[in-house]
Amino acid sequence: MTTTRQHIIEISFPSEFGYEVIAREAIATFARCVGFDRDRIDDLKTAVSEACINAIEHGNKKVHGLTIDIVGVYDGNMLQIDIADQGIQQYQVAGAPATIEEKIAGKAPARGMGLLLMTQLADEAHFLPDTNGTRGNRFRLIWRERVETLEPEH
Amino acid sequence: MSNEETAGSKPSEKVIELRLPSRLGYERVAMDAASSLARRMGFEGDRIAALKTAVSEAVTNAIEHGNQHNETMKVVVLLTVRDDELIVSVTDQGSKSIDEAYVSRVPNISEAMQKDDKGGWGIWLIRELMDEVEFTKAPGGGNQVRMVIHLER
């Protein structure tokens, strides 16, 4: 038997609304297999769905025949999920996403809550720079292992 | 989900690919992906249960026998959606071929009950549960099982 510390799962699915649900379920089961609790899996499912929908809608511009590619890596300390499209459109947002207050005040577009939501649900949520020349958008979500701490006794 | 023609696949055909580590437990990823897809295609509950069992057996076989629990090797699961059927292909990277006699044998229940090892029912189960089953050698050299489940409307 050959074992490895890093567990990697790869998923590729058609860039069409509806298929993100299949990827979401597969990633959720992967997270369950590596020991994530139910609350974090719910967060993960929402964030992965948002990232996939963005990739289908904005990155691939709903063009049929394209794919969305996901790579999930668990190394014992954190779960990292990269969602990549084929870059029909570059839609990376520079800097931090607009806050709800800015949106309500009309200082930022009302749409685009997904990015804000993902930053709240994951420990890290950000675009990756295009270092491999594919021109596709790559979005990374990270959940770190939580260290349980006991409440001090009074 | 729509079923329009896409580049690289046949008309009305969509493909989802999963690449899993060869570690027992990860067969559940394939089971849940297949069942979620089958539910959306309109399969009934008992057919989805049959599909989950067959996928679990096929992926477990690939991890245990094909890839010999080598976690650096992958199990590749292709879920191909057609209008009237779901095709599941499970491929390992193992160099050890599955014995033809093992693939086609029918287990004897009374004999099996006498043995300590109660395993060896997986391929028979897959054949019983799926509408079409084919064992072949993958182009890359691993073992491949292709299972088809028809959608009855």
Side-chain angles (χ1 to χ4, degrees):
Chain A
M1 186 190 291
T2 306
T3 58
T4 175
R5 184 170 169 78
Q6 210 174 49
H7 301 181
I8 302 173
I9 177 178
E10 294 164 84
I11 304 168
S12 176
F13 65 91
S15 183
E16 290 172 34
F17 290 136
Y19 285 102
E20 78 282 356
V21 176
I22 317 302
R24 182 188 73 188
E25 292 306 315
I27 290 291
T29 305
F30 180 58
R32 205 172 296 122
C33 286
V34 300
F36 271 54
D37 64 33
R38 191 173 170 175
D39 285 348
R40 293 200 110 190
I41 289 172
D42 285 344
D43 290 350
L44 180 142
K45 287 170 79 171
T46 305
V48 168
S49 285
E50 280 295 332
C52 289
I53 288 167
N54 280 347
I56 295 168
E57 188 174 5
H58 304 300
N60 283 348
K61 295 282 279 179
K62 294 188 265 186
V63 173
H64 285 269
L66 301 182
T67 59
I68 303 296
D69 300 299
I70 300 179
V71 179
V73 181
Y74 179 71
D75 67 359
N77 295 311
M78 71 172 193
L79 176 60
Q80 173 184 293
I81 299 168
D82 289 352
I83 296 105
D85 58 52
Q86 291 172 268
I88 299 298
Q89 174 182 253
Q90 303 296 310
Y91 73 103
Q92 300 194 12
V93 180
T99 63
I100 291 174
E101 289 77 16
E102 287 170 331
K103 288 177 182 296
I104 291 171
K107 294 175 183 170
R111 287 203 68 198
M113 297 289 280
L115 196 58
L116 182 66
L117 187 62
M118 287 187 282
T119 59
Q120 298 296 311
L121 294 172
D123 293 328
E124 277 185 41
H126 54 83
F127 285 98
L128 294 171
D130 178 22
T131 52
N132 54 8
T134 60
R135 289 187 45 78
N137 304 283
R138 287 189 301 148
F139 195 78
R140 175 166 289 176
L141 295 161
I142 291 177
W143 283 267
R144 298 187 193 287
E145 200 77 3
R146 280 181 181 157
V147 178
E148 296 294 331
T149 52
L150 294 174
E151 288 292 318
E153 288 182 28
H154 296 288
Chain B
M1 274 182 251
S2 66
N3 281 307
E4 293 172 35
E5 187 170 351
T6 60
S9 61
K10 292 176 183 172
S12 303
E13 191 173 282
K14 304 286 182 187
V15 180
I16 295 170
E17 180 175 335
L18 306 170
R19 297 175 70 84
L20 308 171
S22 290
R23 185 187 176 97
L24 286 177
Y26 286 122
E27 70 277 4
R28 282 180 281 167
V29 176
M31 286 167 70
D32 287 351
S35 83
S36 176
L37 186 59
R39 199 174 309 118
R40 294 180 67 82
M41 288 176 70
F43 281 96
E44 298 289 340
D46 60 337
R47 299 285 280 162
I48 294 171
L51 174 70
K52 286 176 76 172
T53 303
V55 169
S56 172
E57 288 295 337
V59 177
T60 302
N61 277 348
I63 294 170
E64 281 186 337
H65 305 300
N67 289 347
Q68 305 271 303
H69 296 277
N70 182 339
E71 291 182 10
T72 62
M73 287 182 164
K74 294 285 184 187
V75 176
V76 180
V77 181
L78 293 180
L79 304 165
T80 304
V81 180
R82 290 185 177 166
D83 288 342
D84 55 354
E85 63 190 11
L86 173 61
I87 305 167
V88 184
S89 163
V90 178
T91 307
D92 60 51
Q93 294 180 289
S95 53
K96 186 183 169 192
S97 297
I98 298 175
D99 186 359
E100 183 61 34
Y102 183 72
V103 166
S104 54
R105 80 188 174 114
V106 177
N108 181 308
I109 293 175
S110 52
E111 274 179 24
M113 294 307 288
Q114 304 300 316
K115 294 195 298 184
D116 289 335
D117 178 11
K118 300 288 189 292
W121 291 76
I123 290 174
W124 176 80
L125 257 180
I126 291 169
R127 287 196 187 281
E128 289 294 307
L129 294 170
M130 296 290 96
D131 295 320
E132 296 172 38
V133 181
E134 186 184 18
F135 292 89
T136 55
K137 205 75 185 161
N143 301 292
Q144 188 171 55
V145 54
R146 180 181 182 273
M147 306 174 283
V148 184
I149 182 165
H150 300 150
L151 183 58
E152 289 146 14
R153 296 182 196 272

